[in-house]
Amino acid sequence: MERDTLSETELWFKKAFPTPQSKNVHTQLGVHFEEVREMILELDSTDPTTRQMLTLAKDHLHNLANWLKASDKVVHIKHGRRTAFLDAMCDQIVTGTGVMHMFGMNSCDAMKEVNKSNFSKFENGKVLYDDNLKVIKGKDFFKPQLAPFANKS
């Protein structure tokens, strides 16, 4: 049975982190904010105020991402707020998909390509980690070829 794209992404994480520890949580949060920063790096504005706010957000996200990736036992979900946190995370998936749609991008096929690339990080089905417990690229890793999906056809 073919798995949907989001299920494939989740499967990758289950294989990479079958029993996530506190350090894995912090590293993943840091990586998540790092990716938001990378998105901001690709944006520009003719409005000086917007450009300044993008720069400030980029700088703060860089610091936060690095702090989280290097630390442990710093961040947790507020007591009784797991459902609200889950809602916010689901909304990020929805709004991220919406942003790609608004810019005329093919998010579904792009995610399939990213999943293939992520699975190529494993070596003989095994996961390799760096000192922050972030998955590193194995010898068979290939970068996702996203150019065909940057403009919907």
Side-chain angles (χ1 to χ4, degrees):
M1 175 168 85
E2 186 177 323
R3 299 174 67 89
D4 65 82
T5 307
L6 187 56
S7 294
E8 280 294 310
T9 303
E10 186 177 49
L11 176 64
W12 185 88
F13 278 98
K14 286 180 178 179
K15 286 185 174 193
F17 306 100
T19 53
Q21 305 300 312
S22 177
K23 180 61 183 157
N24 302 121
V25 172
H26 285 81
T27 297
Q28 188 59 44
L29 279 168
V31 169
H32 183 73
F33 290 125
E34 183 176 76
E35 294 299 335
V36 174
R37 178 185 181 271
E38 287 181 17
M39 177 193 66
I40 290 171
L41 286 170
E42 303 308 324
L43 297 173
D44 199 1
S45 176
T46 56
D47 173 58
T49 302
T50 302
R51 184 179 288 139
Q52 181 184 23
M53 287 192 287
L54 288 169
T55 299
L56 289 171
K58 170 191 63 101
D59 293 344
H60 287 296
L61 284 169
H62 175 74
N63 293 334
L64 177 61
N66 287 338
W67 176 258
L68 288 170
K69 289 187 295 184
S71 38
D72 193 8
K73 299 179 184 161
V74 176
V75 175
H76 61 275
I77 299 171
K78 292 178 181 176
H79 179 73
R81 303 300 298 164
R82 289 184 67 79
T83 302
F85 182 83
L86 178 61
D87 178 63
M89 294 303 301
C90 289
D91 287 347
Q92 288 179 54
I93 293 168
V94 170
T95 58
T97 302
V99 168
M100 288 182 277
H101 171 73
M102 299 301 168
F103 278 112
M105 299 172 172
N106 182 334
S107 60
C108 292
D109 289 339
M111 280 303 303
K112 287 177 187 175
E113 179 68 11
V114 167
N115 280 339
K116 284 191 257 179
S117 172
N118 279 339
F119 275 102
S120 78
K121 292 177 181 179
F122 298 168
E123 281 192 17
N124 301 320
K126 302 230 189 277
V127 185
L128 307 172
Y129 304 96
D130 69 9
D131 292 340
N132 285 322
L133 301 180
K134 180 180 174 184
V135 174
I136 57 175
K137 300 165 180 90
K139 63 179 173 39
D140 296 324
F141 171 75
F142 62 87
K143 288 185 76 147
Q145 299 302 308
L146 296 176
F149 315 115
N151 296 304
K152 278 191 178 175
S153 48

